[in-house]
């Protein structure tokens, strides 16, 4: 199938690449199907592109290189109420926000959990874990490299 | 908004499957018990609202060129 996206143009995808978020994510309930795009030139970032809303793209990153003691995948799956057969198929990524002043923060309070075997995903709200917020800094762009953030 | 009065130990049913019970009242704090099917997500509203507004903010992802320069910065930082 071919899907249209605002940032990447038309993408040709296989049905099995589609990750289903049964309830969407908070703020975007109507977007329930996503695909992750791992492009060499944008690593360590990963894109989570909506198939339902062409303009909706989240930037994801692996939290563990930055926060080595972050909640593990099994615990997150438990918070989500998932029955886990194979924890190796559970991928944890966090959503990156790039602020107008160049600061990059990640949302550790609500990671994205993906079951790569069943192709389902959920943004899990870790209400039971202390000390997590929606904005943990992972870096700051240099002032000279500040860029306009797209509306 | 529907407003009901309940005593400690009394419950409210939302549909057939969701039961909300008043467990304890202590000054300004009320402890509430919630019985709901696994697929019904229960959130503290202020947390849900924080996630919602952060998602809105995060979805204003920058243009790809900008992100590419960011990505190269991150790679440098890792080295």
């Amino acid at each position: 199938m071919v899907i249209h996206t605002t940032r990447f143009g038309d993408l040709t995808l296989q049905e099995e690449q589609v990750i289903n978020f049964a309830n969407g994510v908070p703020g975007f309930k109507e977007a329930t199907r996503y695909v992750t795009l791992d492009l060499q030139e944008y690593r360590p970032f990963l894109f989570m592109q909506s198939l339902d809303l062409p303009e909706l793209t989240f930037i994801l990153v692996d939290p563990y290189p930055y926060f080595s003691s972050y909640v593990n995948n099994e615990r997150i799956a438990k918070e989500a109420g998932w029955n886990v057969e194979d924890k190796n198929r559970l991928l944890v990524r966090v959503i990156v926000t790039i602020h107008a002043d160049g600061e990059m923060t990640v949302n550790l309070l609500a990671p994205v959990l993906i079951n790569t075997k069943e192709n389902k995903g959920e943004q899990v709200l870790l209400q039971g874990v202390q000390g997590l917020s929606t904005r943990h800094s992972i870096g700051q762009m240099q002032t000279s490299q500040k860029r306009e953030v797209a509306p | 908004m529907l407003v009901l009065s309940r005593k400690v130990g009394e419950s409210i049913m939302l549909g057939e499957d969701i039961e909300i019970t008043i467990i304890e009242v202590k000054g300004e704090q009320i402890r509430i018990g919630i019985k709901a099917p696994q697929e019904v997500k229960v959130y503290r509203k202020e947390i849900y609202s924080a996630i919602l507004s952060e998602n809105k903010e995060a979805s204003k992802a920058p243009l790809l060129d900008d992100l590419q320069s960011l990505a190269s910065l991150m790679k440098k930082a890792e080295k």
Side-chain angles (χ1 to χ4, degrees), chain A residues 22-132:
Chain A
N23 303 309
V25 300
F28 301 94
K29 286 178 78 74
E30 67 279 31
T32 58
R33 301 174 305 150
Y34 289 88
V35 62
T36 56
L37 304 170
D38 182 6
L39 308 171
Q40 177 76 46
E41 64 268 39
Y42 296 105
R43 285 181 190 164
F45 302 113
L46 196 73
F47 297 99
M48 182 167 129
Q49 172 65 46
S50 165
L51 271 61
D52 302 296
L53 299 173
E55 70 282 8
L56 182 59
T57 313
F58 289 107
I59 301 166
L60 305 182
V61 77
D62 179 354
Y64 300 104
Y66 307 96
F67 306 95
S68 54
S69 60
Y70 187 51
V71 194
N72 69 29
N73 57 0
E74 273 181 294
R75 172 78 195 274
I76 294 170
K78 198 179 157 205
E79 291 277 334
W82 287 12
N83 291 317
V84 182
E85 286 170 25
D86 184 359
K87 68 173 183 178
N88 295 322
R89 304 303 293 266
L90 291 176
L91 193 70
V92 175
R93 292 292 178 265
V94 289
I95 299 178
V96 181
T97 302
I98 299 174
H99 302 270
D101 65 358
E103 195 184 8
M104 287 178 285
T105 59
V106 290
N107 184 349
L108 294 187
L109 183 58
V112 172
L113 182 68
I114 296 169
N115 182 327
T116 58
K117 192 178 177 192
E118 294 171 22
N119 282 355
K120 69 168 183 173
E122 186 177 320
Q123 187 177 17
V124 186
L125 276 61
L126 299 177
Q127 301 180 101
V129 184
Q130 297 296 308
L132 299 180

Side-chain angles (χ1 to χ4, degrees), chain B residues 18-74:
Chain B
I18 301 172
E19 184 177 352
I20 296 170
T21 308
I22 308 302
I23 306 285
E24 186 187 11
V25 179
K26 217 183 206 175
E28 289 201 336
Q29 268 214 332
I30 297 163
R31 283 163 59 82
I32 295 168
I34 301 156
K35 256 192 227 165
Q38 186 75 266
E39 66 271 17
V40 175
K41 303 290 173 186
V42 179
Y43 302 121
R44 291 181 181 86
K45 182 163 180 194
E46 67 277 15
I47 292 181
Y48 186 86
S49 301
I51 303 301
L52 188 148
S53 66
E54 195 60 29
N55 281 350
K56 293 275 181 196
E57 197 63 32
S59 70
K60 297 175 190 166
L63 297 172
L64 294 179
D65 285 351
D66 296 329
L67 197 65
Q68 201 167 357
S69 61
L70 266 181
S72 58
L73 276 177
M74 299 295 278

